[in-house]
Amino acid sequence: MYAKAGRIHEARGVFEGLPERDVVSCTAIISGYAQLGLDEEALELFRRLQREGMSSNYVTYTSVLTALSGLAALDHGRQVHNHVLRSELPFYVVLQNSLIDMYSKCGKLTYARRIFDNMSERTVISWNAMLVGYSKHGMGREVVELFILMSEENKLKPNRVTFLAVLSGCSHGGMEDRALEIFYAMVKGKHGVEPEIEHYGCIVDLLGRAGQVEKAFEFIKQMPFEPTASIWGSLLGACRVHSNVPIGELVGRRLLEIEPENAGNYVTLSNLYASAGRWEDVRNIRVLMKEKSVVKEPGKSWIELDQTLHTFHASDRSHPRKEEAFAEVRKLSVKFQESGYVPDLSCVLHDVDNEQKEKMLLGHSEKLALAFGLINTPEGSPIRVIKNLRICVDCHNFAKFVSKVYRREVSLRDKNRFHHIVGGSCSCGDYW
């Protein structure tokens, strides 16, 4: 009850005060943490309770896998999968769905698809989990193929989540025409699912991502729904990426009115002004943030090594080996520039000289995590990094050089999608 009300501290207090614990109480508290997005806490508690002799059932493992999906902790995920196999638990559909989700979010789509293909029974959630996995990796063609396969089986009807996954997959995969075809078929009632506000949001994202900002703006005006802050935010992000200041300014001001507490809106509008060299407007936005006590979410990246998560924040010194990572990034930057890497100074949205911009780029959290992974993993082994925000173009280029020069497979997961880089080429096709 406390956990579902979001009061996890009270839930933990009750749990710690229990005279004895069983699998139900242990699962309830782990599930509470996982469902609130407190993934590290859920994993830490699961490991502690295991050491204390806790027994687990399929619900326990499902909850833990939810947390591991959020952390993209592949080594831990494999370990849990092995626990499930050794425990000889019945492979309930809900557990298999969680494994599909975990492997997809850890960048291992082949593992996810293997579980999916071997399922004796699939629910619509199973199909959706696999579709979302492909979608997050920008694999639009695979999304559409799987959707067609689902339609041909005729056993299960796609639901609203199915279409969100399909439209999003087409958006990330640069398949605008196919997405619009599917969307307008929904509008005409051909698929049996009436488009909701989220589906319209996918089309706005699709058009904006393709650089059709004006068309996206007109689409919003004609929607049968009042646009949400999320939809306006998607368009503002597209204006930032494609440097459309006139529309971005209109959208940004609208967002500040309806969502004055959301730091992301201020930051995106500020970045739009900065990319246009309007530094006075940038300063005004920062003053406004201070007046309203709005704090920007700090960028952070993490990497899992030997079942330990190492977290790096941009330009701070919290990690005990951060100086070592900084030194490695500087060394790599020099080496990569000899191979053709050119720092993208447009990614630094501060009114400083170019030399200072280059220094600031070196402190980006994903570069630090990449460098740390390069130092601490065997030659030729893959490097997997997760970031809480959208990866910048410069860090994406830097990762491609890590892959090319050191012949490493690099997996980068940001808040929107996956970038799988092999031999200096990314699965996103430099479209995200």
Side-chain angles (χ1 to χ4, degrees):
M1 181 275 291
Y2 276 128
K4 286 182 178 176
R7 297 171 65 173
I8 197 66
H9 295 298
E10 286 93 332
R12 183 65 176 263
V14 173
F15 177 78
E16 296 293 353
L18 289 172
E20 61 179 80
R21 299 169 186 153
D22 60 10
V23 66
V24 177
S25 54
C26 290
T27 299
I29 189 66
I30 292 168
S31 175
Y33 278 111
Q35 288 171 8
L36 289 169
L38 300 167
D39 302 321
E40 290 186 59
E41 292 86 344
L43 178 57
E44 184 184 327
L45 183 59
F46 172 71
R47 294 172 76 182
R48 189 196 109 188
L49 293 173
Q50 270 205 318
R51 287 194 298 269
E52 293 174 4
M54 170 190 75
S55 62
S56 301
N57 62 18
Y58 79 96
V59 184
T60 318
Y61 288 122
T62 298
S63 300
V64 174
L65 288 167
T66 298
L68 294 171
S69 297
L71 293 169
L74 179 62
D75 290 344
H76 280 108
R78 282 175 172 153
Q79 197 175 53
V80 169
H81 193 177
N82 286 333
H83 270 291
V84 171
L85 294 172
R86 284 200 301 270
S87 303
E88 297 184 352
L89 286 170
F91 256 82
Y92 294 99
V93 172
V94 65
L95 182 54
Q96 290 176 304
N97 292 344
S98 293
L99 284 166
I100 292 170
D101 184 55
M102 183 275 293
Y103 279 124
S104 295
K105 288 178 179 173
C106 289
K108 287 292 182 182
L109 278 176
T110 51
Y111 290 13
R113 186 60 189 257
R114 195 176 301 151
I115 291 167
F116 177 83
D117 287 339
N118 289 328
M119 291 176 77
S120 57
E121 174 196 357
R122 299 188 192 111
T123 65
V124 70
I125 295 170
S126 314
W127 288 92
N128 290 348
M130 199 66 239
L131 284 165
V132 168
Y134 282 132
S135 174
K136 289 288 185 184
H137 284 74
M139 300 172 73
R141 190 171 288 103
E142 287 79 358
V143 167
V144 172
E145 285 174 359
L146 191 63
F147 173 64
I148 291 170
L149 186 64
M150 182 184 185
S151 305
E152 287 173 349
E153 287 210 356
N154 284 325
K155 292 178 184 176
L156 293 167
K157 286 187 177 180
N159 61 17
R160 56 179 295 280
V161 178
T162 311
F163 285 101
L164 284 174
V166 173
L167 294 175
S168 178
C170 290
S171 175
H172 286 288
M175 299 173 66
E176 298 89 16
D177 293 342
R178 190 74 176 95
L180 290 169
E181 179 188 321
I182 291 168
F183 175 77
Y184 284 115
M186 287 178 72
V187 172
K188 291 174 183 174
K190 289 185 179 178
H191 292 300
V193 177
E194 192 174 329
E196 299 174 14
I197 184 70
E198 293 87 357
H199 300 100
Y200 281 86
C202 280
I203 300 302
V204 173
D205 178 71
L206 172 107
L207 296 172
R209 199 178 294 277
Q212 300 179 45
V213 175
E214 291 84 0
K215 192 172 179 180
F217 193 36
E218 290 305 313
F219 181 84
I220 289 175
K221 291 178 184 176
Q222 294 166 17
M223 290 192 318
F225 300 97
E226 184 70 25
T228 62
S230 174
I231 287 175
W232 285 124
S234 174
L235 183 58
L236 179 59
C239 290
R240 158 69 189 100
V241 171
H242 298 288
S243 302
N244 191 315
V245 179
I247 291 179
E249 195 165 26
L250 283 172
V251 173
R253 296 295 174 186
R254 172 77 178 128
L255 270 169
L256 297 191
E257 288 174 10
I258 62 177
E259 228 182 18
E261 74 292 342
N262 187 335
N265 299 328
Y266 295 85
V267 172
T268 307
L269 183 57
S270 173
N271 291 348
L272 178 65
Y273 285 139
S275 64
R278 290 172 56 174
W279 300 111
E280 186 60 35
D281 289 312
V282 171
R283 282 186 281 274
N284 290 339
I285 292 290
R286 287 178 184 162
V287 168
L288 191 59
M289 288 180 75
K290 284 183 181 177
E291 287 175 357
K292 295 188 177 291
S293 301
V294 176
V295 180
K296 173 185 178 290
E297 180 185 5
K300 67 175 180 179
S301 299
W302 59 97
I303 182 168
E304 183 188 14
L305 300 174
D306 297 324
Q307 296 188 22
T308 300
L309 289 171
H310 296 268
T311 303
F312 294 88
H313 295 81
S315 303
D316 77 359
R317 298 290 188 275
S318 59
H319 193 280
R321 295 175 62 189
K322 186 132 189 195
E323 293 302 335
E324 182 185 354
F326 259 117
E328 183 68 12
V329 170
R330 284 192 288 268
K331 188 176 85 175
L332 292 173
S333 183
V334 172
K335 183 171 185 173
F336 293 164
Q337 287 185 52
E338 292 169 358
S339 301
Y341 163 67
V342 179
D344 191 331
L345 303 184
S346 68
C347 294
V348 179
L349 301 166
H350 295 274
D351 190 13
V352 294
D353 62 36
N354 286 353
E355 185 179 347
Q356 186 63 26
K357 285 184 178 182
E358 279 202 43
K359 286 182 181 176
M360 293 174 82
L361 284 174
L362 295 176
H364 282 198
S365 64
E366 52 268 63
K367 286 195 184 77
L368 296 170
L370 277 168
F372 190 75
L374 206 53
I375 296 168
N376 293 285
T377 54
E379 189 176 327
S381 62
I383 300 174
R384 296 183 183 86
V385 171
I386 305 96
K387 185 174 182 184
N388 65 328
L389 305 175
R390 186 182 191 270
I391 187 171
C392 79
V393 173
D394 185 69
C395 287
H396 188 261
N397 290 338
F398 190 89
K400 289 201 292 185
F401 274 89
V402 169
S403 170
K404 182 180 178 181
V405 174
Y406 288 92
R407 296 180 182 178
R408 297 287 196 110
E409 177 186 319
V410 176
S411 176
L412 288 169
R413 189 184 108 185
D414 68 14
K415 76 171 196 174
N416 294 321
R417 59 166 298 161
F418 263 93
H419 299 270
H420 188 69
I421 306 170
V422 178
S425 296
C426 185
S427 58
C428 74
D430 297 336
Y431 181 89
W432 82 98

